[in-house]
Every structure is written in structure tokens, then in C-alpha cells.
Amino acid sequence: MDHYSFFDRDLSWLLFNERILMEAGKDTLPLMERVNFLSIFSSNLDEFYRVRMPVLLALHNLAKHGNSEKEDVLLEAQELIGHQQQKFGHVFTGEIIPLLKAKKITLLFNEPIPNAIADKVSDYFYSQVMAFLQPIDLADTKKNFFPENNRLYFLVTLQAEHKTERNVILNIPSNQLPRFYRVNIDDGQYIVFLDDIIRNNLDKLFKNEVLTGCYSIKITRDAELDLDDEYQGDLSEQVEKQLLKRDLGIATRFLHQPGMPLRTLHFITDKFNLQSSSVVEGGMYHNLKDLSGLPVNNSSLRNTQWTPITGYHVNDMGSLFDHIEKQDYIFHAPYQSYDTILRFFNEAATDGSVKEVSVTLYRVASESRIVNALISAAKNGKKVRVMVELKARFDEANNIKWAKKMKAAGVDIIYSNTALKVHAKIALVKRHVDGRDKYSGLLATGNFNESTAAFYTDHIMMTANSSLLREMELLFMFLAKGKKSADGYPIDFKHLLVAQFNLRDRFLALIDQEIANAKQGLPASITIKLNNLEERTLIAKLYEASQSGVKISLIVRSICCLIPGVPGMSENITIRRIVDRYLEHGRIFIFHNNGDEKVFLGSADWMNRNIYRRIEVCFPVYNDNIKAEVLQLIDFQLKDNTQAVALDDELRNIKIKPVPPMVQSQKAIYEFLKSKLND
């Protein structure tokens, strides 16, 4: 594989975030949708500093001492982030704020609070804000202050008469109060940052001192949990203990507003041991992910909503499980209503013929109706077995909460061990009807989560196919044993593609078949849609397929380490990226197979963690109608010339020339699925 080129995953991720920023810069989008993309960009960048920057910093230190063979990409990443931040500032302050003002919505950004609203702002400070302010004198040795991860603070410098300057940390309580305060006046409105409300009233807090400086700061910390693979106790207890430490992790970024004096900067970096972090001079305001909560109530500034399609596939008559027994069904969230998926779990909880329910849960809604249905099923006397992944990053606390509630209700809770995440999205229901057992199953590309189903594009298949469901049952048996790997565990999956068992080898074999067909002069092509593409063995096999003449079309939302369009290596590979109102999330794998397409859906991206350190499930689509439907959806996406960009041989986002007919794939998919109601 050494003769193949692989793009750096971290730089690739930053280029994906740049694609988000491109949407914010589109003057054809409704104004508040552009604001929302700015919020997403900011949130993504925070996560990059929490998850990826610790690795880059470590590799950078190794490279400086000659202890790393990996190219040092830290400086390149920092340069790319700097350019993106400049673009962010231009779009936000140069375009968005003036356009809001033209709509009589004045977002005050680094400017004084007008006299016309000063009294109302002052009243709000006294009645609402003041109670949450907790100034800490950094010279006070009795108070051991530690700045929390991604929380907003002011570093305030003060001087009383004939006394030395003192430094005070003042919290900006955006976790307890809205980040923005709106004041309606005449026929317009002003929107004020919480930061500025506090800044404008500092004299109320420090009455006998002269304010010599006030600087907004934010510290981002490493988000990784330190879990021991050999831990033998209750995993939930271990995760809970580590969650308490997460916000105390190593600082990866210290962000401060411009103009902070060098002596003050040195003081604060020494005080909080920030020397090894990335010290970044940002803007006046941090955590601009909060822009998603900008209080602008004007529907004309947002997208017209696409109402989820209801009434498709399954009618209200009879048992849902009886319908599934007759044929397979597929649902495409968020285009189609998620209600039928909720119905699956609700009927499982109350149907007297249901004896057992098994399900894997990775990320669930904070007020999950699915989990409540599982609790009801257990209380209704059914055997309920739930595989809960406690290591789903940033969802650990929510998963622990629900696991405890389910366990208290009598649900048999299975935790994955620390070495092996369970990322599969499967559910199995066992009924006893007319003296025999019958099975119904759900296999999905995304989590069983009714909240994210409103804006993540995913595919959920309902089936009673005995071959698939027998293998699902065997997989649940394996998970119940809590093994750390599949090594030596005998399950011969013939239909399902399961990471740790056969997934990588089956995908390699499917690509090899296309290579063989191409060498025989037969039509050969591969179409794959993923969130992330990183794993080198599979990428190398795609390069080999390209060199053999196989036409490869990839749709990769985020990380992509495969370089397309390189003569002699990947000239037969094209890659596109789609960013639109919904987050592209489904994974689809299509192999031409000499005209008899093999189609798989599933949970697995082609990343090292998915292939080697997780339980993932991809599943074949055997129903001809469903197969045709999936192929049509992918065809829309391959023809998208509105929201898709092409990736070039440097993985840059290249706009696709808008040649008629214009295709916006998400809109086309919605209209296509809507039209099927009349079929």
C-alpha cells in the first residue's frame, strides 16, 4: 500500500467544516439559515479542539524531537483554521449583521448599548443577570478556581487608589441564562449579547476600583475519557467518574479577545498552566455556536418547512408485525414520519404475543419515547434486553441516566466493555403466535432517536426475513457475553456484514468481484455513500479497482483520506460532498455485479474505529422495490448540482457548474417520496 497516497484525516475534517462555512456565505439562503450554518461551524470547531487537537499537539511534540514518522500537520491545521476564522468574521460582521439591520433587527456587535434601550438593559442586569455573577480574585489563595471547559469568562483587571493591579475572573453565565437579550422598540428590535450586558455594568460590581481592562476568554479541554480496558467493575460507575474529570482535562486551546496586554496574557497562561495549549487571539465574543439561539422570530428568514410524509407504506389497520411478516418496509428519515418506528417499539411493549425485545442503543433522545416503550415492555412482563453503549462521546451521561431507569424497571442491561464499542443500530422482536415463534426486526443506518431523526437523513428497514433475523439473534447472544473481541467466537454470518467478524473481508471481496468483472470487459462500478472514509486497506482496494477500470462514485460527507482523480492511481474515482438543510448520515454501498446490483445499508463508516474497534452491522437489501428506491435516491444525489461540491485531488470543495436541469437532491428526494403516496 506504500505507493498509494492518503490525505490527512484532520485536515480533511477541517475542509468539511469549510464546506459548512460555504453555506453560511450563500446569499441565496434565507438569512437565519446562514446564521445556523455559522453556529454549526463554530460548534464543529470546538469539537475539533476537544477531540482532534490533543492528538495533533502530541504528534507535534513527537515530531519536534524526531520521534514520529507521521508528518507534523499542526501548523497546517492552525493556518487553515485561521483562514476559516477570517472568512467566518467576514460573513458574520460584513454580511449577516448588515442584512439583519436592513430587516430592523440590530444585533449589537462590539458597539455601545444605545441610550434608547439602556434602561431596559440595566433593569435586566439587576433583576436577572446579577444573581449569577461570581467574581474570583486570582490572588486569593483560599479560592481554588479552575476554569471549566468551553465556558465563557472575563478576565477583569482593576486598580484601587495606591494599590497594585489585581486580576479577577468573572463568569459569563450563558449556561444559566440566554446568550442574547432582545429589546423590542418602535417597529424594530435590538439584540444584545449577555457578554455586553455584563461588560456595560462592571462598575456596579466593582464600585471602588478603576477598571483597567476587561478581556473575554475561553479554554477548551481534551474530551477523551480514560477508560481501563481491564476494568472489572460496573462500567457505568467508571464512566460516571471519568465524566466528572472530563471538563478538567488538558487545555488544548486558550482563546482570548484582541488587545490583551502581553503581561496579562503571560499571567493568565502561567496561572492556569496553558503553555502547551494553542493560544489563539480570537474575536470579542466566543462560543458563537450560540447563534443558533438568536431570538429572531421571523419565519420569512428561515426555510419553508418540509412536513414529514405520513401514511406511507403501512396503514393503521391490524398489527404492524403482521404487515412486516408479509413484506419488507423501508423508511427514510427525516423525509418520512418517524411515527412508524415509534409504533414498532410501542406495539412491542403492549402486544400480548410479544415475548422478547432486544435492541442496541447508541445515542437516544433526552426524553426518549423509545426507551419509555422499552420500560413499559419490561413492566408488561416481556423479556427486554438492551445493549447500551456508555462510551458514545458526549452522550455518556444521557445513556447512563436511561440505563439506570431501564434497569430499575427490570430491563436486562448489557454494557459494552471498554475495549469494544457497539455502534450497530438493530432491534429484534420475538412473538409467539399460533404455537410458534415469529421474529420482526429493525435494521438502520442511524440511531433509534426521534429527536435527531428530524434532521439526520437515515434509512430504517423493517423485515421478517428469517435469514437476517436469525443472524441478528446470534449477534445479540454474542453481545450478551460481553466479549472484548470476536476472535475465536464462531458465528458464520452469511447475510449480515458485521465488524469484528466479516465486514471488512466481505467489502474487500465485493470490490474484488468488480475488479474481476472489469478485467473481463464487463461493466463494473461501485457507488458508496459514507460519513467518513479513512481505513487504508479498503481505500487501497478502491485505488486498485480504479486502476482496473472500475468506475467509482463516492459521496463522503466529512473525513475523506482517499485522493480522487490522480492519473495512474484514482482517475476513475470521483467524490462529492452534499451539505443542505438536513445532515447527510445514511451509509449506502452499491456494487454493480454485472447488472444485478448488490445493495447494502448500515451503520459502518470506513474508519479504523468502525472496522477494528466496534460492532457495526451492514445489511443487504433483498426486496426489489426497496432496492430500486434506494438506487433512485442515490441517483438524485449523484446528479445534485445545487448543494453538492466535488472534491479535487487536494480535497478542496469545488463548486459544481450549475448546468440545467437544476437538481437539489434533498428536495428531489422529498418530492419523489411524496409522489409515491399516489402510486
Side-chain angles (χ1 to χ4, degrees):
M1 291 193 300
D2 291 343
H3 62 290
Y4 293 130
S5 297
F6 301 91
F7 199 81
D8 183 83
R9 57 164 289 169
D10 299 303
L11 297 179
S12 173
W13 191 95
L14 289 172
L15 289 171
F16 157 65
N17 209 28
E18 187 168 279
R19 175 67 187 91
I20 300 294
L21 199 54
M22 288 171 64
E23 285 300 289
K26 274 189 178 179
D27 58 11
T28 55
L29 274 184
L31 191 53
M32 292 309 296
E33 301 301 332
R34 297 177 65 184
V35 171
N36 191 50
F37 279 112
L38 289 177
S39 170
I40 294 169
F41 171 87
S42 181
S43 178
N44 284 348
L45 190 56
D46 274 351
E47 183 171 337
F48 181 84
Y49 272 96
R50 294 201 72 189
V51 176
R52 295 306 311 163
M53 189 55 78
V55 178
L56 292 185
L57 289 168
L59 290 172
H60 176 71
N61 289 330
L62 288 172
K64 283 196 304 183
H65 296 91
N67 296 325
S68 175
E69 296 179 1
K70 181 178 170 63
E71 183 181 356
D72 184 7
V73 298
L74 176 65
L75 298 180
E76 196 172 348
Q78 289 174 330
E79 183 179 2
L80 185 54
I81 291 169
H83 288 314
Q84 292 175 356
Q85 291 284 51
Q86 289 179 359
K87 174 68 174 176
F88 182 102
H90 171 74
V91 171
F92 185 38
T93 61
E95 299 179 21
I96 301 294
I97 290 178
L99 288 169
L100 284 170
K101 200 164 190 175
K103 299 289 184 181
K104 298 185 177 180
I105 302 167
T106 302
L107 174 60
L108 297 175
F109 190 89
N110 195 21
E111 56 185 299
I113 294 174
N115 291 332
I117 65 169
D119 287 345
K120 288 188 176 181
V121 170
S122 182
D123 288 344
Y124 182 72
F125 174 79
Y126 276 120
S127 63
Q128 302 296 325
V129 179
M130 207 172 191
F132 295 99
L133 300 181
Q134 300 157 3
I136 302 290
D137 188 337
L138 293 179
D140 188 346
T141 57
K142 295 180 180 178
K143 295 182 178 179
N144 186 21
F145 174 75
F146 190 88
E148 295 183 52
N149 173 67
N150 276 346
R151 290 286 169 81
L152 301 176
Y153 298 97
F154 283 133
L155 175 61
V156 182
T157 56
L158 302 158
Q159 191 162 19
E161 189 175 3
H162 306 307
K163 291 187 178 181
T164 58
E165 186 177 74
R166 71 185 185 109
N167 297 283
V168 173
I169 284 285
L170 181 63
N171 61 312
I172 301 173
S174 58
N175 57 317
Q176 296 159 304
L177 293 171
R179 184 72 186 281
F180 303 99
Y181 174 59
R182 184 179 64 195
V183 180
N184 296 321
I185 185 168
D186 297 329
D187 60 343
Q189 59 184 242
Y190 285 92
I191 299 176
V192 188
F193 276 86
L194 176 62
D195 319 36
D196 288 335
I197 294 173
I198 298 170
R199 195 191 299 266
N200 201 57
N201 287 278
L202 287 174
D203 59 325
K204 314 292 195 310
L205 292 175
F206 308 108
K207 296 180 180 179
N208 300 315
E209 294 173 283
V210 176
L211 178 69
T212 56
C214 178
Y215 313 99
S216 58
I217 63 172
K218 182 179 85 166
I219 296 171
T220 303
R221 299 186 180 280
D222 184 353
E224 202 59 52
L225 296 183
D226 182 19
L227 298 176
D228 183 358
D229 287 354
E230 301 304 320
Y231 188 78
Q232 298 298 317
D234 188 332
L235 180 60
S236 66
E237 292 181 5
Q238 187 189 7
V239 173
E240 281 189 290
K241 288 177 181 177
Q242 290 298 324
L243 283 176
L244 294 174
K245 299 178 183 178
R246 168 180 275 169
D247 285 343
L248 307 179
I250 296 171
T252 58
R253 176 179 58 171
F254 172 55
L255 195 60
H256 63 89
Q257 78 174 57
M260 180 182 285
L262 201 56
R263 71 179 188 282
T264 307
L265 180 61
H266 287 164
F267 168 80
I268 198 71
T269 53
D270 288 343
K271 181 70 176 178
F272 297 130
N273 193 26
L274 304 173
Q275 293 87 347
S276 61
S277 66
S278 292
V279 178
V280 180
E281 183 177 82
M284 287 286 292
Y285 308 92
H286 313 311
N287 275 7
L288 290 181
K289 59 187 177 184
D290 292 341
L291 287 171
S292 61
L294 202 66
V296 175
N297 297 327
N298 186 336
S299 59
S300 69
L301 302 182
R302 301 185 185 275
N303 282 327
T304 302
Q305 294 299 304
W306 297 341
T307 303
I309 301 163
T310 57
Y312 181 51
H313 284 316
V314 181
N315 62 37
D316 294 331
M317 302 299 293
S319 165
L320 175 61
F321 301 115
D322 290 338
H323 285 290
I324 298 171
E325 190 176 345
K326 295 174 184 175
Q327 70 176 84
D328 292 350
Y329 295 95
I330 194 166
F331 295 85
H332 310 286
Y335 306 103
Q336 295 170 321
S337 172
Y338 204 69
D339 287 351
T340 306
I341 311 305
L342 297 177
R343 177 180 168 184
F344 180 94
F345 290 100
N346 292 342
E347 285 197 23
T350 56
D351 188 326
S353 68
V354 172
K355 302 303 177 185
E356 296 181 16
V357 182
S358 301
V359 62
T360 59
L361 295 180
Y362 190 73
R363 300 184 194 274
V364 297
S366 58
E367 299 299 329
S368 176
R369 284 171 284 173
I370 290 172
V371 175
N372 277 307
L374 296 171
I375 289 172
S376 294
K379 290 185 175 180
N380 290 337
K382 304 172 193 312
K383 181 180 179 181
V384 182
R385 177 173 50 184
V386 179
M387 171 69 239
V388 179
E389 180 49 73
L390 294 183
K391 304 183 297 299
R393 183 181 284 135
F394 304 132
D395 277 85
E396 300 96 342
N398 187 54
N399 287 3
I400 289 171
K401 176 192 78 172
W402 281 118
K404 288 180 176 180
K405 287 186 177 182
M406 286 188 285
K407 195 170 185 177
V411 174
D412 181 14
I413 297 295
I414 307 165
Y415 298 135
S416 66
N417 61 67
T418 56
L420 189 65
K421 273 189 178 183
V422 177
H423 192 250
K425 290 84 168 68
I426 55 175
L428 183 66
V429 169
K430 179 179 178 181
R431 295 188 298 156
H432 194 72
V433 181
D434 297 330
R436 64 190 185 94
D437 291 335
K438 294 184 176 183
Y439 292 85
S440 300
L442 286 184
L443 299 107
T445 65
N447 300 304
F448 297 128
N449 184 320
E450 61 270 28
S451 295
T452 56
F455 55 94
Y456 280 32
T457 68
D458 272 308
H459 314 283
I460 310 101
M461 191 173 78
M462 296 181 173
T463 186
N465 183 296
S466 58
S467 298
L468 297 180
L469 300 187
R470 174 55 183 162
E471 292 187 357
M472 282 174 61
E473 187 174 39
L474 292 173
L475 179 58
F476 275 114
M477 291 177 181
F478 165 77
L479 295 177
K481 294 181 182 296
K483 289 184 173 290
K484 293 188 175 182
S485 76
D487 292 344
Y489 194 88
I491 305 180
D492 184 17
F493 289 106
K494 300 291 188 184
H495 301 272
L496 297 180
L497 279 59
V498 183
Q500 303 297 309
F501 289 90
N502 67 340
L503 184 141
R504 193 194 73 159
D505 290 344
R506 283 288 302 278
F507 275 132
L508 290 172
L510 288 162
I511 300 172
D512 275 332
Q513 183 60 59
E514 296 302 316
I515 292 173
N517 288 346
K519 288 180 177 179
Q520 294 176 37
L522 299 173
S525 66
I526 298 169
T527 302
I528 297 175
K529 179 183 176 185
L530 292 162
N531 296 330
N532 302 293
L533 176 57
E534 174 199 36
E535 201 280 323
R536 291 194 168 210
T537 302
L538 289 163
I539 290 176
K541 183 60 70 172
L542 291 177
Y543 283 146
E544 181 185 339
S546 172
Q547 293 167 2
S548 300
V550 180
K551 299 297 182 182
I552 302 171
S553 300
L554 303 177
I555 303 172
V556 184
R557 187 195 77 208
S558 185
I559 294 170
C560 182
C561 298
L562 183 151
I563 303 172
V566 178
M569 183 177 75
S570 58
E571 65 265 41
N572 287 313
I573 303 177
T574 61
I575 308 177
R576 54 179 44 217
R577 171 177 284 145
I578 298 171
V579 173
D580 203 345
R581 64 170 63 191
Y582 300 141
L583 180 75
E584 293 292 339
H585 192 254
R587 292 90 166 178
I588 301 175
F589 310 86
I590 302 168
F591 302 89
H592 185 270
N593 194 38
N594 197 26
D596 183 18
E597 286 99 343
K598 291 187 176 181
V599 177
F600 297 84
L601 308 174
S603 64
D605 284 320
W606 284 6
M607 300 186 74
N608 294 325
R609 67 190 186 196
N610 302 88
I611 302 299
Y612 300 111
R613 299 192 298 276
R614 290 182 172 183
I615 293 293
E616 304 274 5
V617 172
C618 291
F619 52 95
V621 176
Y622 291 141
N623 181 285
D624 288 338
N625 291 330
I626 293 177
K627 184 186 293 187
E629 189 166 295
V630 171
L631 292 173
Q632 179 60 71
L633 302 193
I634 284 293
D635 186 61
F636 285 133
Q637 299 210 308
L638 292 174
K639 291 178 178 176
D640 193 318
N641 55 9
T642 303
Q643 295 301 127
V645 297
L647 302 189
D648 67 6
D649 57 6
E650 294 182 2
L651 275 295
R652 294 173 299 188
N653 301 287
I654 307 300
K655 293 181 180 179
I656 294 174
K657 188 176 181 180
V659 178
M662 304 304 295
V663 178
Q664 180 185 352
S665 59
Q666 290 192 357
K667 184 177 182 181
I669 289 170
Y670 178 72
E671 295 297 337
F672 167 73
L673 295 174
K674 196 174 180 181
S675 71
K676 291 179 73 70
L677 283 172
N678 302 319
D679 290 352

